[in-house]
Amino acid sequence: MPGTKQNQIASIDEIEAEDAAFNEKQRIAEVVKGIASRLEAQATEIVGKKRDVEDIWYENTRQYFGRYDETTEANLKTSKTSRLFVHMTRPKTDLWVARLFDLLFPTDEKNWGIMPTPVPEIQAAIDTEPKVNAGDDVSEDQAMDMNKAAAGRDHVDTAAKAATAMQREMEDQLVQSKYAAECRDVIENMCRLGTGILKGPIDGGAANKRWALVGSIYQLKSYQDSSPHYVSVDPWNFFPDPNATRMDDAEFTYERHLWTKKKLKGQAARLGFDMAAVNELLKEGPNTPIPDFISNIRAITHQNKSSIENRFVIWEYRGPIETNELRDLLLHSGDEAGLEAMKDDLDELFEIEVVVYVCQGKVLKFGIHPLDRGDTLYSAVSFAKDNTSIWGYGVPALMSDSQKALNAAWRMMMDNGGLSAGPQVLINKKVVEPVDGDWTLRARKVWRIKDDSPNGAEPFAIFNVDSNQAELGNIINLSREFIDDEVSLPAPTQGETAGAQVGNTVGGLAMIMNSSNIIFRRVVRNFDDDLTVPSLHRLYDWNMQFSDKDEIKGDMQVEARGSSVLLTRELQAQNIMALLQTSAADPEFAAWVKKDEALKSFIESLMLSSKKLLRTEEEMKQFLAENQPTEAEGQQVSPEEIKFAIVQFEAESRERVEAMRQETELIKLAEAHEMKLEELQAKLQIQRDKQDSDERKMSAEAGFKMRMAQREAAGTAVEVGGTSFGAAI
C-alpha cells in the first residue's frame, strides 16, 4: 500500500540520519582524543627541553640546603677528607626574600595604585544640558567654550572617582585571594631558583564556608566564591613556550597538575570538568609516570628518596588552537551557544586562544580564554634576568663559585688543622719495640731497646706539619666578601656596622644604605614591571569585562610603587625633616608648607601608623584648648628669653640643614666616584671638625646677641672694637 511504502522510506531516512549522527559523534570523539594526545605529546617534548634549566635548579637547591652532589660526596669519602659545607647560601637567600617582601608588601601602604590616564576616555554620565546660556553678557561662542570647559572638568572628576572606586574594589579582591601570601611564595621561588610565577586572575569557584545566623544560632554555611583569585605556580610544574624570552612573547603555556583521586573529584566539580571523562579516568586509574623532581628534591633535603604515587598527571594548556579543532571541541562539549556565538569567527580566524585540560588521552575541560584582551594569565619575574630565556638566575646561582671556594678553603683548613694538631712520629723498629706489643703512642708507654740495635740509631723521629690557618683564613674572608658583592648584600643590610666613623652620622649611614638600595631598586623594578603591573592590569581588565558595578569602570592605568616609594623611605624621612626644619626657620617658607601632611608623611616613612599616632583635627582643637597657657603663665617668659630662643633655634636649624646638605653632597660624590670607605671616613671627619667649629661660632654669636638684647632692654650701650653701640641698634 502507498502508506506503508512511505512509512518504510521514512524509517530508512531516520535510520540513515541516526547512523550519520552516530558516525559524526564517533568522528568527533576520535578527533578530540587526537587533540588530547597531541597536546600531551607536545607537553612531554617541552619537559625534555627544560632539563638544562632544572639541572641548574637542582644545583641551586643542593647549595641552599648545604649538600654536595653525589660525585663530589663520593670523592670526598674516598679520599677520607673533610666533607663540611659552609651554609652561606641559605641565610643570604632568606635575607633577600625577607627584605623584598618587607619592601614590596609593607603593613601600611600598597605597592600599587590605580589612576586615570592623562586623557581619560570614558563614557561618563555628564549632564548634556548647557550650564551657561548665551545672553546679553555672554556670546554664543563664549557660552559654548564655557560649557565645554565645564564638561571637561566633570569628565576628569568622574574619571578620578571611578579610579578611586576601582582601586577599592581591586584591593578587596586581592585581600580575599590572599594576594600577598601568594606573592611571598613567588618571591621565595624568584630568589631560590631565579624565577617566580604568578597566575591570575582566575575564577575562584571554590566552595568556602562562613558563619551565618540561622534562627537563634550561628551555623557554618557553604557558599560559592566566584571572585577573581591569584595563585603561585610551582616553577617545576610550569612549562612556557621554550622559544620565548618574555611571558608576553610566549605563544602557549603548559601547567602540570599532580592530583590524587580526591583532588581530581574536587577540582572536577569546581572547574566544571566533563564528568563522563572524569569517571572513565577514575576507573582507569593513574598510568602516567610521575615526574622525578620530587624524589630528587627529597633526597637533597635529607628525606627519603621515594617518589609520590597514585597521582594523575593533568596538563593545563593555554594557547591557540586551529579553527577545525575548535569546532570539534565545541561540538564534543555540547556547547551549542558557544558554537553559534563563534560561527562567524570560525569562518574568518585561523586560530583562537583556548584553555584545555587533558589527561591520559582525554579532554577533561575546554573553554575560550576568559579575557577579551587575550593576554596570558601568567606573570614571570626573575631575580637576575637572562635576556635569552624566561628563566633567570637566583641568589644561589650568583654566588655559586664563591660558595665553592669557601667550602674548599674550609675543608682544607679542617684537614690542615687535623694534621698540624699533633706531630708525625717515626719509629725505628730495629731499635725499639713496645713492651706491651702495641705500637700505638700514648703517655707513659714503656719501650724496650733491642739488643741487636745499630749503634747511634735514633729510636724515634718527630716531624711537625706546618699550620696554614692564617692563609686559609684569608681565602675564607675573601670568599665571604665576594659573596656579599655578588649577591649585593653589604654589611649594613645584614644588621652589621660598616665602620664606627661612618655609622655615627645620619648622612654616612644613609650613603651606605642608599648605595645598597641601588641593587634592591633594580630587583624591585623587575618585580614591578614583570609581575605587579601586568598582573593587576589583568585584574582591571577582569573588572571592566565582568563586573556589574558601573561606578568603577573607566579609562585607567596601573601604577607600580615598589621602586619609586617603598625603597626611598629612609631618604624621605630625612628630606621631610629637613623641610620641617627649614620651614620653622623661615616664616615665609612655612606659609607654603602643609605641616600636618608633612608630619603624617614623616611618620609613615618610618613604617608607623599615622592614624594611631596623630591626633585628628577635633582632638587637636580640644588639646590646644585644654593646654592653653594662662595670662600669668605667659608673662613669666621675658622678651629677652624669647629672642634668645628664636636666635638659638634659627642657628641650630641652619646648622642642621647645612650639615644634611653637605652629607648629601658627599653621598652623591661617593656614588659618582666609587669612593672607598676609608676616603669617606676621612671626608666625614673633616666635615665633623668643621661642624664643631661652626657650632662654637654660632654659640658665641647667639650669646653675643642675647647680651645685646639684654643691654637694649636695659637702655644701655656696649662697646665693641672701640665703637659705641646704643639701644638704637
Side-chain angles (χ1 to χ4, degrees):
M1 291 184 297
T4 303
K5 187 175 181 180
Q6 289 179 355
N7 291 336
Q8 292 176 348
I9 294 174
S11 298
I12 294 173
D13 291 341
E14 290 176 357
I15 293 173
E16 291 179 349
E18 290 177 358
D19 290 342
F22 178 78
N23 292 334
E24 177 65 11
K25 186 176 181 180
Q26 290 293 105
R27 184 194 69 80
I28 293 174
E30 291 297 323
V31 170
V32 170
K33 184 177 180 180
I35 293 173
S37 300
R38 178 179 66 81
L39 293 178
E40 287 184 294
Q42 186 182 33
T44 303
E45 179 184 358
I46 296 175
V47 169
K49 293 182 178 180
K50 192 186 168 191
R51 290 293 183 187
D52 293 338
V53 175
E54 293 183 349
D55 289 341
I56 298 176
W57 291 356
Y58 284 130
E59 183 178 352
N60 293 343
T61 305
R62 281 191 291 267
Q63 187 176 322
Y64 180 83
F65 286 100
R67 295 291 302 273
Y68 292 109
D69 61 86
E70 295 180 357
T71 302
T72 303
E73 189 81 15
N75 292 337
L76 294 175
K77 284 183 178 180
T78 302
S79 61
K80 296 181 179 180
T81 56
S82 173
R83 291 182 286 132
L84 297 179
F85 196 108
V86 185
H87 291 264
M88 290 294 293
T89 300
R90 185 165 190 162
K92 298 296 183 183
T93 305
D94 291 347
L95 182 59
W96 259 108
V97 173
R99 174 73 167 160
L100 286 176
F101 189 79
D102 184 52
L103 289 171
L104 289 166
F105 295 93
T107 57
D108 61 334
E109 192 172 356
K110 300 185 296 294
N111 67 331
W112 60 277
I114 297 294
M115 57 186 300
T117 57
V119 184
E121 298 177 358
I122 61 173
Q123 297 297 325
I126 299 176
D127 186 8
T128 56
E129 293 295 328
K131 297 183 179 181
V132 178
N133 296 318
D136 297 335
D137 298 332
V138 180
S139 65
E140 185 174 350
D141 292 340
Q142 290 176 335
M144 184 178 299
D145 292 340
M146 295 172 68
N147 287 324
K148 286 182 179 180
R153 287 192 297 271
D154 291 344
H155 193 71
V156 172
D157 292 342
T158 303
K161 292 178 181 178
T164 302
M166 174 67 80
Q167 180 167 306
R168 286 198 303 266
E169 180 74 11
M170 291 174 60
E171 186 175 1
D172 180 68
Q173 292 168 343
L174 293 178
V175 170
Q176 292 186 31
S177 68
K178 299 179 180 179
Y179 173 76
E182 297 297 330
C183 284
R184 185 187 295 111
D185 294 338
V186 173
I187 293 173
E188 188 166 348
N189 289 327
M190 177 181 73
C191 294
R192 280 197 196 182
L193 304 179
T195 306
I197 312 295
L198 185 69
K199 178 184 179 182
I202 56 176
D203 188 357
N208 291 332
K209 295 182 178 181
R210 64 164 59 124
W211 290 97
L213 183 62
V214 180
S216 59
I217 61 173
Y218 280 91
Q219 295 182 0
L220 202 58
K221 293 290 186 179
S222 299
Y223 71 98
Q224 203 71 12
D225 184 7
S226 59
S227 60
H229 278 64
Y230 285 90
V231 293
S232 172
V233 178
D234 187 354
W236 294 93
N237 288 320
F238 183 65
F239 302 88
D241 180 2
N243 298 318
T245 59
R246 296 173 54 88
M247 279 308 305
D248 52 10
D249 293 334
E251 185 177 359
F252 57 85
T253 58
Y254 282 93
E255 184 181 352
R256 181 173 57 197
H257 304 281
L258 305 175
W259 291 343
T260 61
K261 289 184 177 181
K262 181 179 179 180
K263 183 69 176 290
L264 176 59
K265 293 177 182 178
Q267 293 294 86
R270 186 179 74 85
L271 298 175
F273 283 0
D274 182 354
M275 296 310 299
V278 171
N279 290 330
E280 291 181 12
L281 201 59
L282 293 173
K283 290 179 181 179
E284 293 178 5
N287 59 18
T288 305
I290 304 296
D292 57 0
F293 78 91
I294 296 179
S295 60
N296 293 338
I297 294 177
R298 283 180 173 180
I300 293 173
T301 57
H302 302 276
Q303 299 185 32
N304 58 65
K305 296 184 179 181
S306 61
S307 179
I308 59 175
E309 298 177 351
N310 299 322
R311 298 291 179 98
F312 291 98
V313 180
I314 298 173
W315 290 101
E316 177 184 349
Y317 169 80
R318 292 180 179 268
I321 198 171
E322 295 183 0
T323 53
N324 57 336
E325 293 179 329
L326 176 61
R327 184 183 295 106
D328 291 332
L329 286 171
L330 287 170
L331 290 172
H332 176 72
S333 62
D335 188 1
E336 297 181 359
L339 188 64
E340 180 66 23
M342 302 193 65
K343 182 172 60 177
D344 297 335
D345 294 337
L346 291 177
D347 295 335
E348 299 174 0
L349 300 177
F350 176 71
E351 56 187 22
I352 192 169
E353 296 289 322
V354 297
V355 182
V356 185
Y357 287 81
V358 297
C359 180
Q360 298 178 190
K362 298 176 178 59
V363 174
L364 303 181
K365 180 184 178 181
F366 159 78
I368 306 300
H369 185 74
L371 296 180
D372 291 344
R373 190 182 293 274
D375 293 343
T376 177
L377 295 186
Y378 298 94
S379 295
V381 55
S382 299
F383 183 83
K385 289 186 177 182
D386 180 359
N387 294 329
T388 64
S389 172
I390 288 176
W391 307 110
Y393 299 98
V395 175
L398 296 180
M399 58 178 288
S400 175
D401 290 339
S402 295
Q403 177 70 72
K404 292 176 182 176
L406 181 60
N407 288 338
W410 184 241
R411 293 198 308 268
M412 286 188 289
M413 179 177 281
M414 292 297 102
D415 294 337
N416 178 252
L419 290 173
S420 62
Q424 299 291 317
V425 181
L426 280 68
I427 303 176
N428 191 342
K429 291 186 177 182
K430 294 181 180 181
V431 177
V432 296
E433 62 181 2
V435 174
D436 58 1
D438 184 6
W439 291 89
T440 304
L441 292 174
R442 64 175 181 271
R444 299 182 182 88
K445 188 176 181 67
V446 179
W447 300 81
R448 180 187 300 114
I449 299 177
K450 292 183 177 181
D451 296 336
D452 56 349
S453 61
N455 293 328
E458 295 290 338
F460 297 98
I462 305 297
F463 294 92
N464 289 304
V465 177
D466 293 336
S467 175
N468 299 308
Q469 302 296 300
E471 291 78 3
L472 294 173
N474 289 335
I475 296 177
I476 290 175
N477 292 332
L478 280 174
S479 299
R480 295 187 61 179
E481 291 177 6
F482 289 154
I483 287 174
D484 288 343
D485 292 339
E486 289 164 353
V487 302
S488 305
L489 284 175
T493 63
Q494 304 176 59
E496 302 175 12
T497 58
Q501 297 297 328
V502 178
N504 286 337
T505 64
V506 176
L509 183 59
M511 188 210 68
I512 297 173
M513 295 301 297
N514 187 56
S515 299
S516 64
N517 277 344
I518 292 175
I519 304 300
F520 281 111
R521 282 195 289 270
R522 178 182 63 80
V523 179
V524 171
R525 285 193 186 98
N526 289 347
F527 196 92
D528 286 346
D529 297 339
D530 296 338
L531 189 137
T532 301
V533 172
S535 298
L536 297 185
H537 201 284
R538 293 195 298 268
L539 182 58
Y540 161 74
D541 289 339
W542 193 95
N543 283 308
M544 291 294 294
Q545 182 175 342
F546 298 111
S547 178
D548 56 357
K549 300 179 180 179
D550 294 334
E551 66 273 11
I552 70 172
K553 299 188 177 184
D555 188 14
M556 307 169 197
Q557 60 186 1
V558 177
E559 177 188 27
R561 299 171 179 172
S563 58
S564 62
V565 176
L566 305 178
L567 269 172
T568 57
R569 286 180 180 269
E570 296 88 352
L571 294 179
Q572 284 180 357
Q574 295 182 35
N575 294 335
I576 293 173
M577 181 56 67
L579 176 67
L580 291 173
Q581 291 174 348
T582 305
S583 63
D586 188 347
E588 294 184 1
F589 183 78
W592 293 91
V593 177
K594 297 180 179 179
K595 292 187 177 181
D596 53 342
E597 293 294 333
L599 184 58
K600 178 181 177 182
S601 300
F602 175 74
I603 292 177
E604 291 178 350
S605 68
L606 301 178
M607 300 184 70
L608 300 173
S609 175
S610 59
K611 294 181 180 179
K612 294 181 179 180
L613 298 178
L614 291 181
R615 293 185 176 91
T616 63
E617 186 175 356
E618 292 75 13
E619 292 173 341
M620 176 59 72
K621 291 179 180 179
Q622 182 179 356
F623 174 80
L624 293 176
E626 294 175 353
N627 294 273
Q628 186 71 25
T630 62
E631 184 176 353
E633 292 174 342
Q635 292 176 353
Q636 293 177 0
V637 182
S638 65
E640 292 77 11
E641 292 175 336
I642 295 176
K643 290 182 180 180
F644 176 70
I646 293 175
V647 170
Q648 188 176 19
F649 179 78
E650 290 178 351
E652 291 177 353
S653 298
R654 288 194 299 270
E655 177 252 324
R656 291 194 190 99
V657 172
E658 179 62 21
M660 294 186 67
R661 186 192 66 78
Q662 292 177 2
E663 290 183 353
T664 303
E665 293 297 326
L666 280 178
I667 292 173
K668 295 179 180 178
L669 180 64
E671 291 179 353
H673 298 282
E674 299 181 354
M675 186 182 299
K676 295 182 179 179
L677 182 61
E678 294 78 6
E679 298 175 358
L680 174 62
Q681 292 175 353
K683 288 186 175 293
L684 288 175
Q685 186 60 45
I686 294 173
Q687 178 189 342
R688 282 192 294 273
D689 294 341
K690 182 178 182 301
Q691 181 177 335
D692 293 339
S693 177
D694 292 341
E695 288 177 356
R696 289 193 295 270
K697 292 180 180 178
M698 289 180 182
S699 298
E701 291 178 0
F704 174 74
K705 290 183 178 181
M706 183 186 68
R707 290 194 300 272
M708 291 291 294
Q710 293 173 345
R711 296 280 189 178
E712 179 182 355
T716 60
V718 62
E719 288 189 2
V720 178
T723 305
S724 177
F725 295 87
I729 295 179

